[in-house]
Amino acid sequence: MKKILLILISISILLSANTNKKITLQLNWLNQFQFAGYYIAKEKGFYNEVGIDIDIKEITSNINLVEMIETKKADFAVGSSSLLIDKINGSDVIALGSIFQESPLMLLLRKDSNINSVKELKNKKIMITDNAVNSASILAMLSANGLRETDFIRQKHSFNIEDLINGNTDAMASYMSNEPILLKDRNIEYKIFHPKDFGFDFYNDILFTSSEFIKNNPKLTKDFYDATIKGWKYAFENIGETAEIIFNKYNTQNKLLIHLIKEGEILKKMAYANDEDIGHIDEGKLENTVNIFKLAGLVNSDMDINAFIYDENPHKTMTFELTHQEEKLIFLIMAFLFFAFLLIIYFLTKNHQIKGLLRTVINTTDDLIFFKDCKLRYLGCNRNFERFIGKKESEIIGKNDFELFEKEYAQHFRENDLSVIKAKRILINEEWVIFEDKKILLQTKMIPLQYKKNDKQGVLGISRDITELHEIHEKLKEQAYHDELTNIFNRKAFNERIKEKFDLYQRYNSIFCIAMYDIDNFKNINDTYGHDIGDKVLREMTEEIKLNIRKTDLLFRIGGEEFIIIFSKTLIDEAFEVAEKIRTSVSNMNIIDNERITISIGLSQVKEDDDADSIYERIDKLMYESKHNGKNQTSKD
């Protein structure tokens, strides 16, 4: 009998040990701090907490990361911005998030090489990988500085820093977090030419999978992504501890501990570049990357950027509608700007006398007006732009943005200029900048400018301070989607969010539950105690209910005393437990002396043939069923 009991216990232990879902993560390089977040999520139990047993694999020769995902040899993988090319070419890839907001790839040179600019690399030896996709940002940087591939000696990459030290090459494609550390340790001074400084800003280490995997495993995908981001945040908050874990358990490259720590410090800056959070992906930045790939001849068509990004990535934001008055205001502003553009373009084509009139016109406007040549050097500007720069026009002409602005601003402006020249049409963009010690939002309209008979194209731009308009929009957006009394989402927000939930359900079978609750006898409370007390009940009850739901759940006030809760990725039994907890919690509140407040709840889980109207109708009937059966109860189907 004891033997049988021991066998049963052993079997039970084995079964419980295998309840976690096994998944495989394929890295795009060898173990190092570059993948710290995944190691930490595993070692600290973040994956285990959500039922994931992960196998993290280093890269080996001849591995195609996209093929690993498509053939299901790996569930998730880490790739580069070249995933955009794979997507355009028909591969099933979805980017969950980008770990690094900027790429660490750059050209590394010895300081004593006497090469002080990218242009001076002409006829020099450069080590770049044969993979055109992975080297696209460096080739684009060289091209932007007038260097074609025939203008320099392209060497096969040895991945050996000694070749740079010994002069076997003049420049080497390297990673900010690796080779510079080795040079610094040997007291060898170096310099860097970074594509980002020339407007070629790529994401790096993009965590990805397939849409098929997400559809079949929506909860697993979300849990894995959330645990991964948690791991990365812990890794960068505890770089020393993380480096020791990698040193002791994942150090297949035999790196020094101090090198791992330095690597972590560098990568942290790249992960949080531009004040973005880890994993953030911006559609505009991806569009610029696609444009660069097109210029390099790597792709010849556009793509739906939004279809490339995981729906649960924080980049997704709620859209909002404008009232007729707001639309009229925006239309008038846009019409004025457009008229100003037409006026400027018209006068630029006239003779010297009319150009003198133009100078008077543009110098009296509050807008910032500037124009640049084909190399994006300033040809001229108005007085307000002089004030903005803090220099006279004579000091501005002939300079580029990197000579006039801080690096962060210059990069934005360079990217915008390149986009306009590529698009060959009017483009509008917005940037937050500091002007006269104030942070303002500039809306800039730009158009390609032909300024010589030889068809050379520059850029003409006019910028306007729209800070006040932006603040009005933000207030209107807040008012449009939030209930003023309880400060939670209103019915308009519900109408949009329920559509989003159904979209996720139809695409990825992302289950959710929805509950409607109503305060019992609320009219009597208002009639007996007055509307001020009634409002107090609504506010305090709402705050209590918010304490009993998750951050991922959504709470809406859709009517006077009617509310709705959407329980994301939740089955009916789990939602019922929460609903009952909420109902009990409300009934135990003491908002009004000698007056018990209760609620009646209707609860349902989304069904295959449901839409927004059918599920709303169902929970409404269930709620009234609770009321008719005695109130203060939850009815579910």
Side-chain angles (χ1 to χ4, degrees):
M1 184 67 182
K2 289 182 178 179
K3 289 183 178 180
I4 294 173
L5 184 60
L6 287 172
I7 292 171
L8 290 173
I9 292 173
S10 299
I11 292 173
S12 175
I13 292 172
L14 286 172
L15 289 173
S16 63
N18 289 299
T19 54
N20 281 2
K21 175 71 174 179
K22 289 185 177 295
I23 66 168
T24 299
L25 170 67
Q26 178 63 60
L27 306 180
N28 61 349
W29 192 242
L30 304 176
N31 287 330
Q32 53 190 17
F33 205 105
Q34 181 182 351
F35 310 108
Y38 307 108
Y39 310 140
I40 287 296
K42 181 176 183 178
E43 297 299 324
K44 291 296 179 180
F46 300 155
Y47 289 136
N48 187 61
E49 289 172 2
V50 292
I52 292 175
D53 181 11
I54 190 169
D55 181 17
I56 303 174
K57 292 187 175 181
E58 292 180 290
I59 199 166
T60 57
S61 60
N62 299 321
I63 276 186
N64 183 309
L65 295 168
V66 173
E67 185 177 287
M68 291 286 289
I69 293 296
E70 291 185 324
T71 58
K72 299 181 174 59
K73 293 179 181 178
D75 302 304
F76 301 93
V78 180
S80 67
S81 292
S82 64
L83 289 169
L84 289 162
I85 299 175
D86 295 303
K87 185 74 171 179
I88 290 173
N89 291 335
S91 295
D92 180 15
V93 290
I94 299 292
L96 302 182
S98 179
I99 303 305
F100 301 119
Q101 296 298 301
E102 64 182 45
S103 173
L105 183 64
M106 48 76 188
L107 281 181
L108 182 66
L109 302 85
R110 288 181 56 132
K111 189 174 182 180
D112 59 9
S113 66
N114 295 320
I115 299 172
N116 299 310
S117 69
V118 176
K119 292 180 180 179
E120 294 177 21
L121 286 170
K122 187 172 183 178
N123 300 322
K124 301 296 184 180
K125 296 174 290 186
I126 305 177
M127 277 192 178
I128 311 176
T129 60
D130 293 332
N131 190 322
V133 172
N134 292 334
S135 59
S137 61
I138 288 180
L139 294 175
M141 174 181 68
L142 294 171
S143 177
N145 284 273
L147 298 182
R148 297 168 297 177
E149 288 207 50
T150 56
D151 293 328
F152 59 89
I153 303 168
R154 183 167 181 165
Q155 297 176 302
K156 184 177 181 180
H157 210 306
S158 66
F159 299 99
N160 186 350
I161 194 65
E162 296 298 328
D163 284 327
L164 182 66
I165 294 172
N166 297 328
N168 296 329
T169 190
D170 298 302
M172 176 183 285
S174 307
Y175 267 48
M176 297 280 289
S177 55
N178 287 329
E179 288 82 1
I181 295 175
L182 300 176
L183 293 181
K184 192 171 184 179
D185 277 358
R186 295 169 65 170
N187 294 318
I188 299 174
E189 293 185 316
Y190 59 87
K191 65 182 65 173
I192 287 169
F193 294 148
H194 201 303
K196 187 174 185 294
D197 295 337
F198 296 86
F200 305 107
D201 187 14
F202 288 10
Y203 285 120
N204 209 67
D205 280 36
I206 297 174
L207 180 61
F208 73 101
T209 184
S210 66
S211 63
E212 180 183 358
F213 184 90
I214 295 173
K215 182 177 180 180
N216 294 332
N217 305 275
K219 186 176 187 304
L220 174 63
T221 304
K222 183 65 164 62
D223 288 343
F224 170 72
Y225 180 75
D226 289 344
T228 295
I229 297 302
K230 185 177 179 182
W232 274 110
K233 290 181 177 180
Y234 186 98
F236 285 132
E237 289 169 1
N238 304 274
I239 290 177
E241 177 189 351
T242 301
E244 287 187 359
I245 290 173
I246 298 172
F247 181 79
N248 292 322
K249 302 191 69 172
Y250 298 93
N251 197 12
T252 53
Q253 296 191 71
N254 296 316
K255 290 195 170 190
L256 299 176
L257 178 60
I258 187 61
H259 285 178
L260 290 169
I261 292 173
K262 289 179 179 178
E263 183 183 350
E265 292 170 346
I266 293 170
L267 291 175
K268 181 177 181 179
K269 295 177 182 178
M270 295 185 170
Y272 291 104
N274 304 319
D275 295 325
E276 298 292 358
D277 206 354
I278 296 174
H280 176 85
I281 297 180
D282 177 72
E283 292 99 328
K285 186 169 180 176
L286 292 181
E287 287 176 355
N288 286 336
T289 303
V290 171
N291 287 335
I292 293 170
F293 286 154
K294 289 167 72 175
L295 287 171
L298 299 173
V299 295
N300 54 18
S301 61
D302 293 317
M303 65 175 289
D304 181 3
I305 296 293
N306 204 45
F308 175 70
I309 307 173
Y310 179 43
D311 279 342
E312 295 289 342
N313 186 279
H315 90 287
K316 299 288 185 181
T317 56
M318 184 188 297
T319 59
F320 65 96
E321 299 175 0
L322 300 175
T323 64
H324 178 69
Q325 290 82 359
E326 296 163 41
E327 289 177 346
K328 186 175 180 180
L329 174 62
I330 293 174
F331 175 79
L332 290 173
I333 292 174
M334 292 298 103
F336 176 82
L337 284 174
F338 187 70
F339 174 76
F341 253 82
L342 292 177
L343 186 64
I344 292 169
I345 293 168
Y346 172 77
F347 281 124
L348 279 173
T349 61
K350 298 303 177 180
N351 59 31
H352 181 74
Q353 181 180 0
I354 297 179
K355 287 181 179 179
L357 177 60
L358 167 64
R359 173 62 60 181
T360 302
V361 172
I362 66 173
N363 279 334
T364 56
T365 179
D366 290 333
D367 297 327
L368 311 176
I369 298 174
F370 59 88
F371 27 102
K372 304 176 183 178
D373 64 16
C374 62
K375 294 185 178 180
L376 304 180
R377 297 172 303 197
Y378 284 91
L379 293 171
C381 62
N382 70 345
R383 286 176 185 164
N384 211 33
F385 192 84
E386 288 180 321
R387 289 174 52 221
F388 177 64
I389 298 289
K391 295 178 182 295
K392 294 181 179 180
E393 185 179 22
S394 59
E395 298 175 286
I396 297 172
I397 292 175
K399 301 284 182 63
N400 63 40
D401 288 319
F402 289 94
E403 296 173 286
L404 296 172
F405 296 97
E406 292 180 7
K407 179 180 174 182
E408 179 183 357
Y409 292 153
Q411 288 165 353
H412 279 299
F413 299 155
R414 176 61 58 86
E415 290 171 6
N416 294 338
D417 291 342
L418 293 172
S419 297
V420 170
I421 293 173
K422 172 62 179 174
K424 297 181 179 179
R425 58 183 174 85
I426 292 177
L427 292 182
I428 302 173
N429 53 70
E430 296 177 358
E431 296 98 11
W432 285 99
V433 299
I434 304 297
F435 183 36
E436 297 183 339
D437 298 324
K438 292 192 303 181
K439 187 175 183 180
I440 65 171
L441 181 61
L442 281 184
Q443 182 181 79
T444 303
K445 270 193 171 186
M446 296 193 297
I447 188 171
L449 171 67
Q450 183 177 334
Y451 61 96
K452 287 187 177 181
K453 293 182 179 180
N454 58 6
D455 293 329
K456 286 191 174 182
Q457 294 285 319
V459 175
L460 168 65
I462 178 169
S463 301
R464 165 161 292 202
D465 180 2
I466 61 165
T467 311
E468 185 176 353
L469 181 61
H470 172 76
E471 291 172 352
I472 292 171
H473 277 184
E474 290 300 307
K475 290 179 181 178
L476 290 171
K477 183 169 67 173
E478 182 73 14
Q479 294 169 4
Y481 286 95
H482 283 77
D483 175 59
E484 185 176 357
L485 177 64
T486 59
N487 198 32
I488 60 174
F489 289 128
N490 60 15
R491 181 147 200 159
K492 185 175 182 180
F494 169 74
N495 291 337
E496 289 200 4
R497 287 302 179 91
I498 194 65
K499 289 178 183 177
E500 292 177 5
K501 290 298 177 184
F502 271 105
D503 182 55
L504 288 172
Y505 175 67
Q506 289 159 5
R507 293 172 65 184
Y508 305 119
N509 195 31
S510 181
I511 299 295
F512 66 92
C513 288
I514 182 169
M516 176 184 287
Y517 66 88
D518 180 275
I519 303 175
D520 297 325
N521 305 316
F522 189 68
K523 184 177 183 303
N524 292 339
I525 292 173
N526 274 331
D527 292 345
T528 304
Y529 301 99
H531 288 280
D532 288 344
I533 297 299
D535 290 347
K536 179 184 177 184
V537 170
L538 292 170
R539 286 193 299 268
E540 294 189 14
M541 185 191 71
T542 298
E543 290 302 313
E544 178 67 21
I545 290 174
K546 284 164 63 177
L547 296 175
N548 287 280
I549 60 176
R550 303 168 301 183
K551 290 183 178 179
T552 54
D553 298 328
L554 304 171
L555 179 59
F556 309 85
R557 184 186 180 195
I558 60 169
E561 64 269 22
E562 288 188 351
F563 296 78
I564 283 180
I565 305 174
I566 297 178
F567 299 99
S568 303
K569 300 183 183 298
T570 307
L571 298 175
I572 188 68
D573 290 340
E574 182 184 355
F576 182 76
E577 290 182 12
V578 178
E580 281 293 274
K581 182 180 177 182
I582 289 171
R583 184 186 60 78
T584 303
S585 177
V586 170
S587 67
N588 290 331
M589 294 181 71
N590 184 27
I591 303 175
I592 305 174
D593 291 339
N594 302 318
E595 185 74 46
R596 188 183 183 206
I597 308 297
T598 63
I599 58 176
S600 295
I601 305 174
L603 174 68
S604 183
Q605 180 176 306
V606 64
K607 298 180 180 179
E608 185 173 352
D609 297 327
D610 261 335
D611 57 27
D613 292 332
S614 64
I615 198 169
Y616 182 90
E617 183 178 348
R618 192 161 66 250
I619 58 172
D620 186 57
K621 288 180 179 178
L622 288 166
M623 184 192 71
Y624 279 101
E625 183 180 316
S626 294
K627 285 190 174 294
H628 294 153
N629 290 337
K631 302 178 181 178
N632 191 26
Q633 57 185 272
T634 302
S635 298
K636 65 174 183 174
D637 60 358

